[in-house]
């Protein structure tokens, strides 16, 4: 079975391929003034390139391509977390508008575009579905303790990491994979999930920790 | 790395359980507990890195979410909105203090830095300030506690869960010492009596999801009267 194609893991969550299955936009390779700015997008790197094109050139074609690829996943995510179809459409529109407006803030050296969009969608659903605020750090706060200097091989979340992460997610033991997806898709903290499943809290914690240790190893780091 | 907990570059030694960081990264954690986690993250680069890893997992899960086709005309409608100016960001009325003790987001919830906290006396040696978190009443109690140097918090246990982060100073509990940024989590299993550092006491941020019970011989009698 091909690694990235339709494969249903369990009742909780279906894999239907990935966003990057769609062929990349060729229009991106040459901009209006004829200067090549973005490298030709490979299936893996194109989401990042599209967001960068939006940030640099306010590129509407790139934004439309981004929408085609991301919006169906966003809508699926928001509905999975309890939004009705039309509410999910509204919230998807708001997320995509934030992507357009905040594209400047996307740093491909820090995280992949899919990760960055995930954080925007997560915050939007907390605000829009749960009607709560999300407390977050302010990177410019004088009270923030700065990051430790990192070695080059640790500094970024790379495209290679994502490919390894995807494989590692599929290889997780089912009891770890199921729990992990519940945390991401049920809007319930692990303590409530433990009660719902009738599992001891310690079992849930250790399964989640084992899962994350595996995924971190796949991304080439240890805690 | 410096070992002096008073230094601004001090890194915490006691971290939240990874499952709590995961809840926070996934967006499944309640707002009061998220406030403690986010405040710890401001002081802990190591946990920020762990959360970044959890967000990377979120990115992959989003990419693999079963797609649902957006409503007809959704893209066209969105394209017409792109040129509309964004609403201006809310004006930040409070000036940023030069060397704040309370990191964001805690400072925003309190409405100022540590000096602005309107303390009320709970019992001798212990002052508290309740922080309003969330618009609806909820089962959590979120508060700052200021404990005088050398004072022991009355011996107590928890019916639910308690997450505490040191904001300033430090305390000792069960043979362990906690400094700025350190987090400790207790539940019904723990019967404890933390003692604030003799030199300067301690300010903590605490979230509990159920009232705690005093368990000392005299304190048991006080239970109905002292609302923790």
């Amino acid at each position: 079975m091909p690694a990235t194609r339709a494969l249903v893991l369990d009742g909780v969550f279906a894999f239907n391929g990935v966003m990057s299955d769609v062929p990349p936009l060729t229009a991106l390779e040459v901009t209006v003034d004829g200067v090549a700015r973005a490298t030709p997008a490979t299936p893996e790197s194109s989401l990042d390139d599209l967001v960068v094109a939006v940030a640099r050139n306010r590129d509407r074609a790139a934004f439309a391509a981004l929408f085609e690829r991301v919006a169906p996943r966003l809508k699926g995510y928001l509905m999975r977390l309890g939004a009705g179809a039309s509410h999910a459409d509204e919230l998807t529109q708001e997320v995509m508008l934030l992507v357009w407006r905040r594209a400047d803030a996307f740093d491909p050296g820090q995280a992949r575009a899919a990760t960055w969009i995930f954080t925007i969608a997560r915050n939007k659903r907390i605000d829009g579905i749960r009607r709560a605020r999300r407390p977050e750090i302010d990177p410019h706060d004088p009270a923030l303790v700065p990051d430790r200097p990192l070695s080059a091989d640790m500094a970024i979340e790379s495209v290679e990491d994502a490919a390894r992460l995807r494989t590692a997610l599929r290889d997780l033991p089912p009891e770890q994979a199921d729990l992990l997806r519940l945390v991401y898709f049920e809007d319930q903290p692990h303590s409530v999930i433990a009660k719902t499943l009738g599992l001891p809290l310690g079992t849930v914690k250790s399964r989640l920790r084992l899962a994350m240790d595996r995924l971190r190893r796949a991304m080439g780091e240890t805690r | 790395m410096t070992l002096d907990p008073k230094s601004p570059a001090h890194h915490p030694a006691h971290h939240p359980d990874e499952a709590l960081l995961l809840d926070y990264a996934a967006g499944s954690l309640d707002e009061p507990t998220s406030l403690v986690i986010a405040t710890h993250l401001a002081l802990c680069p190591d946990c920020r890195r762990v959360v970044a890893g959890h967000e990377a997992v979120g990115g992959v899960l989003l990419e693999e979410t079963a797609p649902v086709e957006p409503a007809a005309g959704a893209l066209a409608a969105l394209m017409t909105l792109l040129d509309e100016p964004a609403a201006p960001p809310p004006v930040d009325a409070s000036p940023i203090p030069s060397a704040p003790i309370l990191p964001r987001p805690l400072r925003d919830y309190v409405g100022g830095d540590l000096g602005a906290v309107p303390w009320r006396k709970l019992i001798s040696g212990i002052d508290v300030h309740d922080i309003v978190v969330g618009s609806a009443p909820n089962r959590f109690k979120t508060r700052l506690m200021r404990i005088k140097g050398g004072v022991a918090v009355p011996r107590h246990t928890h019916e639910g869960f308690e997450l505490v982060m040191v904001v300033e100073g430090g305390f000792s509990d069960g043979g362990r010492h906690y400094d700025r940024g350190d987090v400790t989590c207790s539940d019904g299993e723990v019967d404890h009596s933390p003692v604030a550092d003799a030199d300067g006491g301690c300010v903590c941020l605490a979230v509990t999801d159920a009232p705690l019970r005093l368990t000392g011989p005299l304190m048991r009698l006080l239970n109905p009267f002292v609302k923790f």
Side-chain angles (χ1 to χ4, degrees):
Chain A
M1 191 182 320
T4 58
R5 286 284 171 189
L7 128 97
V8 177
L9 254 203
D10 52 54
V12 174
F13 187 77
F15 288 99
N16 287 5
V18 294
M19 290 192 252
S20 47
D21 284 351
V22 182
L25 256 203
T26 47
L28 223 161
E29 291 165 30
V30 178
T31 56
V32 217
D33 53 0
V35 182
R37 288 236 171 83
T39 47
T42 68
E44 278 294 349
S45 67
S46 50
L47 271 190
D48 288 23
D49 289 348
L50 290 172
V51 177
V52 169
V54 168
R56 285 198 190 146
N57 311 319
R58 305 273 80 195
D59 184 332
R60 284 165 181 266
F63 182 72
L66 201 56
F67 182 92
E68 299 291 349
R69 207 165 312 171
V70 178
R73 309 289 175 175
L74 286 172
K75 186 172 177 183
Y77 170 75
L78 293 161
M79 289 182 71
R80 183 74 189 79
L81 277 144
S86 67
H87 193 201
D89 274 316
E90 253 171 63
L91 293 173
T92 298
Q93 184 180 71
E94 289 175 28
V95 171
M96 290 306 298
L97 208 49
L98 287 174
V99 167
W100 170 260
R101 287 177 179 157
R102 294 186 188 163
D104 278 352
F106 170 62
D107 177 358
Q110 287 292 317
R112 295 187 315 124
T115 302
W116 181 68
I117 294 171
F118 164 75
T119 62
I120 295 174
R122 171 198 65 194
N123 294 359
K124 179 54 74 184
R125 82 160 171 80
I126 290 173
D127 174 47
I129 302 179
R130 205 202 290 162
R131 304 255 167 237
R133 267 167 83 183
R134 176 174 172 86
E136 291 208 303
I137 62 161
D138 170 4
H140 306 296
D141 183 8
L144 187 94
V145 175
D147 289 334
R148 298 175 197 274
L150 294 170
S151 57
D153 60 326
M154 283 180 70
I156 54 162
E157 181 211 345
S158 69
V159 167
E160 295 78 45
D161 284 348
R164 285 197 298 268
L165 194 51
R166 223 167 267 144
T167 310
L169 265 169
R170 288 199 181 118
D171 292 345
L172 283 181
E175 76 275 8
Q176 292 175 22
D178 289 353
L179 266 183
L180 197 64
R181 294 197 171 90
L182 290 172
V183 170
Y184 281 87
F185 290 97
E186 281 301 316
D187 195 27
Q188 296 293 348
H190 70 277
S191 51
V192 175
I193 290 170
K195 274 190 197 122
T196 311
L197 298 179
L199 287 171
L201 189 56
T203 305
V204 167
K205 281 185 188 176
S206 70
R207 280 185 191 169
L208 288 172
R209 167 174 280 280
L210 287 171
M212 286 312 305
D213 283 344
R214 275 173 177 251
L215 299 181
R216 263 192 292 273
R217 273 200 299 279
M219 289 185 281
E221 58 173 289
T222 50
R223 188 181 182 182
Chain B
M1 189 178 79
T2 171
L3 291 176
D4 177 10
K6 304 247 178 340
S7 151
H10 167 74
H11 289 204
H14 299 283
H15 306 278
D17 196 280
E18 171 152 22
L20 279 177
L21 296 177
L22 182 63
D23 289 340
Y24 176 79
S28 64
L29 198 58
D30 56 87
E31 187 176 339
T33 315
S34 294
L35 176 61
V36 183
I37 299 297
T39 305
H40 173 76
L41 290 179
L43 302 178
C44 186
D46 296 336
C47 285
R48 286 206 294 274
R49 193 158 171 73
V50 172
V51 167
H54 297 162
E55 289 175 340
V57 173
V60 168
L61 290 175
L62 174 65
E63 283 176 293
E64 296 183 344
T65 301
V68 179
E69 203 49 41
L75 176 58
L78 177 59
M79 296 305 278
T80 67
L81 296 176
L82 297 188
D83 293 326
E84 285 188 10
V91 182
D92 196 349
S94 53
I96 296 178
S98 60
I101 302 292
L102 304 185
R104 281 186 131 162
L106 179 56
R107 208 164 63 237
D108 302 331
Y109 278 82
V110 169
D113 200 17
L114 195 53
V117 176
W119 297 106
R120 72 179 166 86
K121 182 176 166 181
L122 180 71
I123 52 175
S124 182
I126 304 180
D127 299 326
V128 296
H129 169 61
D130 291 316
I131 301 171
V132 178
V133 180
S135 47
N138 54 56
R139 65 198 167 91
F140 294 95
K141 189 180 273 293
T142 309
R143 63 173 28 165
L144 282 170
M145 300 185 77
R146 181 171 68 180
I147 305 151
K148 275 217 179 86
V151 167
V153 175
R155 192 162 191 85
H156 62 276
T157 185
H158 301 272
E159 280 165 29
F161 145 107
E162 180 192 54
L163 193 65
V164 174
M165 194 200 89
V166 178
V167 170
E168 189 184 45
F171 71 87
S172 298
D173 189 13
R176 287 185 172 175
H177 190 260
Y178 299 87
D179 284 312
R180 176 167 164 88
D182 284 338
V183 167
T184 169
C185 184
S186 26
D187 54 27
E189 310 292 303
V190 184
D191 186 350
H192 64 159
S193 177
V195 183
D197 286 2
D199 59 337
C202 184
V203 176
C204 292
L205 170 66
V207 168
T208 48
D209 77 344
L212 45 73
R213 279 182 298 125
L214 304 176
T215 50
L218 191 64
M219 284 304 172
R220 225 177 317 229
L221 297 173
L222 277 175
N223 246 336
F225 307 110
V226 183
K227 290 287 276 183
F228 265 89

